[in-house]
Amino acid sequence: MKQSLEKRIILFSFVILAMTTLANTGLDIAVFRRDYIHEMGLRSQGLAAAFKANIEKVLALGINIRDVAGLADKCREIVQSDPEMAYCVIKGKDGSVMFVNDSSFARLDFAKSVPEDENKGMRNSNATEGPKGSYYDTMIPVRASDGETAAFIHIGFPQSVIDQKVHAVIIRSIIVFIAFLLASFALVVYFIKRSIIEPISSLLDGVTRISQGDFTSPMQELPVYELNELSLKINAMATALAAHDMALRDNYKELSATHFQLHDSYQQLEKLSLELEKSEELYKTLLDEAGDAIIILDQNETIIIANKMAEEFCGYPAAAFVGKHVSALLLLLNVENIQRFLRNIADAFSEKHLSGEVTIVNSRQEQLVGKIHTSCVTIGEQSLLQVLMRDVTKEREIITNLENSTAGLARLNRMKDSFLGLASHELKTPLTIIMGYAELLQSVMMEKLPAAAQEMINNISSAAARLDTVVKDMIDVSKIDQKQLDLKLEQVNVNALIEEIIRELHLFFVLRKQEINVTLDDALPMIRGDKTRLYQLLSNVLGNAIKFTPDGGNISVITSLRHLVPNPQTSGFDGVFSSERQPFVEIAVSDTGIGIDPDDQKRIFDKFYEAGNIEEHSSGKVAFKSRGAGLGLSIAKGVAEMHGGSIWVESQGYDQSECPGATFHILLPVEPSILTEKYIK
C-alpha cells in the first residue's frame, strides 16, 4: 500500500508538471509568433507612413506621381535600411506598377490587398503569395493635392523571416522545457518522500503501538501540520480518562465562581435601575430642550408626549393634542390627504425608519413645510413611534430658487452652444464666397481697378481672412464641446514642433522687439499625438504671450520630462491617487508680460472670455494687448485634454507697470490614455 501510494503520487505529479510546462511553452511560442508578426507589421507601417508623407509633400505642389524622380531609388533605400523588409512597390489606382525596388516583385498579386473604399487609409499586414513564397504586405494610399488617391504604397516582409525566428524559439523552448521538467520533477519527488511518505509511515507505527496497548509511548512530532495535529489528538485520547476527574473538579470551581458573579451582577443591576431613573429624567429634559419638534405615539397612534418645539412648530399648546389620536392634530394643522398620512404612520410601526415631508398651517395661519423622520422603538411587548419634525420652509424656498437659477443657467448655456455652432456654420459659406471673389479680383482684375479700389479689396481680403480664422476657431470650439473633434495620432517630436512654430512666429518677435529663449530637453521622448492640433495649441499659447508682453520683453519656452499620476479631472496634476506614475512631457511658456489676475486665471480658458479691461485692448494680430475672439486658450485647453493632458496658468497677478508675467504649463502624455480613445480617428 505504501509503495502503491508513493508511485501514484509521483506519477500524477510527473503528468501534471509535463502538461503544464508543455502548455505554457506552446502558448509562449504562439504569443511570440503573433507579437513578432505585429512588430514587423508596425515597422512596415512606419516606413510606409514616412514614405507617404514625403511623396504627398511633392504631390501638394501639383506634380503627377509618375513624374516624381527617384522614387524607385527611394524604394530600394527603404528596403536596404531594413534588411528584414523584402520589397517596396508603388502601384497606381489601376493596379499598374509604377516604382519597385526589385523587378522580381512587380509580379506580386496585390488584387486582394486593395480596400473596397480607398478612403479607409492604411491597411494592416496580410499574407500575399509571390513567386518566392508568402509575404506579409502593408498598403497605404497616397493622396494627391486634390485629396484623391494617386497611388498605393506596398511594403512587405517574407514569411520566412517569421519562420526562422519561431524555429529558433522552438529549439530554445524545448531545451528549457526538458531542463525545467527534470528539475521540477526531482524537487517534487524529494518533497513527496520527505513531507508525505515518511510522516505517514511514522504515524502508522505509532497507531500500531497504541493498538497493542502501549499508552505510555507518545507519538513523535511530525513535520507536516495536519499529520502532527492527528498525532497530538491520538496522544490526547490516551490521557483523556485520567484527566476526566480533574476536569470535574475544575468545573465545580467554575460553578462556584459563576455563583459569586451572579450575586455581583444582581447588585450592579440595582445600581443600573437607579441610574435608569436618572436617565429618564435627563431624557425628558433633553426632549423638551431639543431643537426639533418631537412627538411620541403609542401603538394606538395616540399622542403621549410632545416637547416644547412641537408646540412652537404647530402653534398649539401640548394640552390641545396630547392624549388624543394623531388624526386630531392633523385636522388642526390642515394637513392634506390625512388618510395617506395615517397609512404611513401605521407602516412606520413595522419599519425601523420612515422619512418624508408634510405641509401644515399653524395657528398663526402660516404655511410651513416640515421634514418628518420616524423611528419605532420596541420595549418588551410595547412599541412606541418617535416622530421628529424639522422646519425646512426656508430651506425649501432656497432650494427652489437655486433649482430655478440652475435651470435658467443650463438653458442659457445650451442657447450659447447652439448659437456658437449655428453662427460658425452659417458664416462659413458666405465667407468662403467673399474670400473667393476677393482672391479673384486680386489675381485677375487687380490691374483693371483704380488704386482706391485695390486698397479696398486688399482690406476686404485681410478682414475676410481674419474673420475666417475666427469662424474656424468657433467651429473647433463647437466640435470640442460636442466631442466631435477627431485626433489623428502619430509620433510627434515636441522639440522639433516648437522650433517650427518659433520659426513661423519669428517675424512677430522681430516686430515686437521681443527676445525668445528656448531650453529644450534633448532626452525628451517622442509622443503620440495629433501634430496639427498640437501645433494649434502651442501657437495659441505663444501668440498669447506675444500679445500680452510689452515691446522689448522676454519669452521663454522650456521642455522637460516628468513622471506623474494622470488625473484629467484636475488641472495641474497636483493630486496623487496611486503609486503608478506615467511619463509626461511638460512645456512651460513664460513671459515678462502684464500678468493675469487671480480671478481671471480661473476663467481664462472659458469660451469668449477676455482677461483684463476689454476697452483697453487694441486691434491687430500681435499688437500689444490686442483683442481676439477669446477662443484661443479654450481651444488649447480642449486639445490638451483630448490628448489626456492638461494646461494651467500661474501668475502673481495683473500689473501693467511692474509686469509680473505669467507661465503657462502644458502636460502631454507620452502615450495617450484610455480617456482619449473616443477622440482618436
Side-chain angles (χ1 to χ4, degrees):
M1 183 66 181
K2 176 180 178 182
Q3 293 179 350
S4 176
L5 176 62
E6 179 179 356
K7 290 180 179 179
R8 290 182 181 182
I9 294 176
I10 292 175
L11 179 61
F12 178 78
S13 302
F14 178 81
V15 172
I16 293 299
L17 283 173
M19 292 176 62
T20 303
T21 309
L22 185 61
N24 184 63
T25 303
L27 289 175
D28 288 343
I29 294 172
V31 170
F32 173 80
R33 186 178 189 279
R34 183 198 63 191
D35 292 345
Y36 192 73
I37 293 175
H38 181 65
E39 176 188 349
M40 293 293 295
L42 291 179
R43 284 165 56 184
S44 62
Q45 289 178 9
L47 293 173
F51 195 17
K52 168 194 173 181
N54 293 331
I55 295 175
E56 288 182 346
K57 289 181 180 179
V58 179
L59 297 184
L61 302 176
I63 300 174
N64 190 289
I65 190 170
R66 296 181 181 272
D67 299 331
V68 180
L71 290 183
D73 295 335
K74 185 63 178 178
C75 288
R76 284 189 286 274
E77 290 178 6
I78 290 175
V79 174
Q80 292 173 0
S81 66
D82 194 336
E84 293 182 340
M85 295 297 165
Y87 62 83
C88 174
V89 181
I90 301 179
K91 303 191 74 174
K93 294 179 63 176
D94 57 354
S96 62
V97 176
M98 296 181 179
F99 306 96
V100 64
N101 67 306
D102 189 345
S103 59
S104 63
F105 292 103
R107 296 189 299 274
L108 287 176
D109 184 13
F110 298 105
K112 297 181 180 180
S113 302
V114 180
E116 296 179 2
D117 186 358
E118 296 177 356
N119 296 321
K120 288 184 178 179
M122 184 181 294
R123 180 187 56 75
N124 293 330
S125 298
N126 289 325
T128 301
E129 295 296 331
K132 298 181 181 180
S134 298
Y135 298 86
Y136 288 93
D137 180 70
T138 296
M139 185 203 72
I140 182 170
V142 179
R143 309 292 183 185
S145 58
D146 57 357
E148 295 294 326
T149 301
F152 295 94
I153 298 175
H154 293 267
I155 295 179
F157 54 92
Q159 187 175 352
S160 59
V161 174
I162 305 299
D163 295 337
Q164 291 175 1
K165 291 287 184 179
V166 173
H167 182 264
V169 171
I170 291 175
I171 297 300
R172 186 175 67 251
S173 298
I174 291 175
I175 296 174
V176 174
F177 164 74
I178 295 174
F180 179 79
L181 179 62
L182 294 177
S184 301
F185 182 70
L187 291 175
V188 169
V189 171
Y190 174 78
F191 171 79
I192 291 173
K193 287 183 173 294
R194 180 71 176 83
S195 301
I196 297 179
I197 302 303
E198 292 181 3
I200 291 178
S201 299
S202 176
L203 187 62
L204 183 61
D205 293 338
V207 171
T208 302
R209 290 196 304 272
I210 294 176
S211 64
Q212 294 174 354
D214 185 5
F215 299 102
T216 60
S217 300
M219 293 186 180
Q220 299 178 356
E221 185 175 356
L222 301 177
V224 181
Y225 173 78
E226 289 79 2
L227 298 179
N228 185 63
E229 287 295 315
L230 180 59
S231 67
L232 293 177
K233 297 298 182 183
I234 295 175
N235 291 335
M237 183 177 61
T239 58
L241 292 176
H244 182 68
D245 183 64
M246 184 64 67
L248 290 177
R249 293 177 181 274
D250 292 340
N251 290 336
Y252 176 76
K253 293 179 180 179
E254 291 179 0
L255 183 61
S256 300
T258 303
H259 172 73
F260 288 111
Q261 290 178 358
L262 288 175
H263 183 266
D264 293 339
S265 298
Y266 175 76
Q267 293 179 345
Q268 292 178 1
L269 185 61
E270 289 184 346
K271 294 180 180 179
L272 290 175
S273 177
L274 296 176
E275 293 178 357
L276 184 61
E277 292 179 359
K278 296 179 180 179
S279 299
E280 184 179 358
E281 295 294 331
L282 179 61
Y283 172 75
K284 291 181 179 179
T285 302
L286 293 175
L287 182 67
D288 288 337
E289 300 298 331
D292 295 332
I294 300 176
I295 296 175
I296 308 297
L297 306 179
D298 62 10
Q299 288 178 315
N300 298 323
E301 299 180 0
T302 301
I303 301 174
I304 58 176
I305 298 175
N307 66 348
K308 294 180 180 178
M309 187 57 67
E311 295 179 348
E312 182 177 346
F313 180 70
C314 299
Y316 295 95
F321 52 84
V322 172
K324 299 180 180 179
H325 193 268
V326 69
S327 59
L329 178 60
L330 298 178
L331 291 172
L332 283 176
L333 301 178
N334 294 325
V335 175
E336 297 180 356
N337 201 346
I338 295 178
Q339 293 298 327
R340 180 177 62 83
F341 195 89
L342 292 175
R343 286 196 299 271
N344 292 338
I345 291 178
D347 294 339
F349 275 99
S350 59
E351 299 179 5
K352 291 184 177 180
H353 299 285
L354 185 65
S355 299
E357 290 186 358
V358 63
T359 303
I360 68 169
V361 179
N362 61 15
S363 62
R364 299 181 294 275
Q365 299 303 312
E366 296 174 344
Q367 187 173 3
L368 303 177
V369 178
K371 185 173 182 62
I372 295 179
H373 179 79
T374 65
S375 58
C376 182
V377 179
T378 301
I379 303 175
E381 297 180 356
Q382 183 180 10
S383 296
L384 299 178
L385 184 66
Q386 178 179 260
V387 182
L388 280 77
M389 293 186 293
R390 177 174 296 176
D391 188 358
V392 294
T393 306
K394 294 183 179 179
E395 296 178 9
R396 286 291 168 268
E397 292 177 357
I398 294 173
I399 292 174
T400 302
N401 293 334
L402 289 175
E403 290 176 349
N404 294 335
S405 300
T406 302
L409 290 174
R411 184 173 61 257
L412 291 175
N413 190 53
R414 290 193 298 270
M415 292 173 62
K416 177 194 68 177
D417 293 339
S418 177
F419 169 76
L420 180 63
L422 180 62
S424 60
H425 286 83
E426 291 297 327
L427 288 173
K428 187 175 182 180
T429 301
L431 182 59
T432 303
I433 297 174
I434 293 173
M435 294 179 66
Y437 279 114
E439 183 178 355
L440 180 63
L441 290 173
Q442 288 177 324
S443 60
V444 178
M445 304 181 63
M446 183 63 75
E447 297 179 355
K448 300 178 182 181
L449 298 175
Q454 293 179 9
E455 183 179 357
M456 293 180 184
I457 292 173
N458 290 332
N459 291 336
I460 291 174
S461 179
S462 177
R466 185 175 180 183
L467 183 57
D468 181 61
T469 301
V470 175
V471 171
K472 288 180 179 178
D473 288 345
M474 292 173 65
I475 292 175
D476 287 344
V477 168
S478 179
K479 288 183 177 180
I480 290 173
D481 288 342
Q482 298 175 10
K483 295 181 174 56
Q484 296 178 351
L485 190 64
D486 296 327
L487 297 180
K488 298 180 181 179
L489 296 187
E490 58 180 315
Q491 293 294 331
V492 179
N493 188 328
V494 175
N495 291 340
L497 183 62
I498 292 174
E499 291 175 347
E500 180 182 350
I501 295 172
I502 292 176
R503 284 195 299 270
E504 293 289 335
L505 300 177
H506 178 70
L507 177 61
F508 299 138
F509 291 121
V510 174
L511 291 176
R512 294 293 309 282
K513 300 178 182 179
Q514 295 172 345
E515 182 179 353
I516 177 70
N517 300 313
V518 181
T519 304
L520 303 179
D521 186 356
D522 294 335
L524 209 62
M526 302 278 283
I527 70 170
R528 280 186 59 79
D530 190 319
K531 185 176 180 180
T532 302
R533 294 301 176 184
L534 292 176
Y535 186 99
Q536 185 180 16
L537 184 159
L538 296 173
S539 297
N540 287 344
V541 175
L542 276 171
N544 210 58
I546 294 173
K547 288 192 293 185
F548 292 97
T549 300
D551 293 350
N554 295 324
I555 298 175
S556 65
V557 181
I558 301 174
T559 62
S560 60
L561 182 66
R562 297 180 64 186
H563 288 78
L564 303 169
V565 176
N567 180 21
Q569 301 300 324
T570 59
S571 63
F573 287 87
D574 295 328
V576 177
F577 294 85
S578 69
S579 59
E580 298 181 359
R581 294 176 175 265
Q582 297 181 9
F584 284 82
V585 172
E586 181 181 21
I587 306 170
V589 180
S590 303
D591 59 57
T592 58
I594 59 178
I596 304 173
D597 189 80
D599 293 335
D600 290 333
Q601 293 177 26
K602 301 177 182 178
R603 304 175 56 192
I604 197 172
F605 297 100
D606 294 342
K607 298 186 290 291
F608 302 108
Y609 185 77
E610 290 286 342
N613 188 356
I614 296 179
E615 297 178 354
E616 296 178 357
H617 290 194
S618 60
S619 60
K621 189 171 182 180
V622 291
F624 182 50
K625 296 200 302 182
S626 59
R627 179 185 178 188
L631 298 175
L633 291 180
S634 178
I635 294 174
K637 180 176 183 291
V639 171
E641 291 180 349
M642 285 193 302
H643 281 78
S646 181
I647 180 173
W648 73 98
V649 64
E650 295 177 352
S651 178
Q652 296 180 359
Y654 173 84
D655 192 331
Q656 188 171 346
S657 59
E658 296 294 334
C659 291
T663 300
F664 282 82
H665 295 271
I666 304 169
L667 283 178
L668 297 173
V670 175
E671 288 291 337
S673 65
I674 193 173
L675 297 173
T676 64
E677 289 183 356
K678 57 185 176 182
Y679 300 107
I680 298 174
K681 186 175 181 180

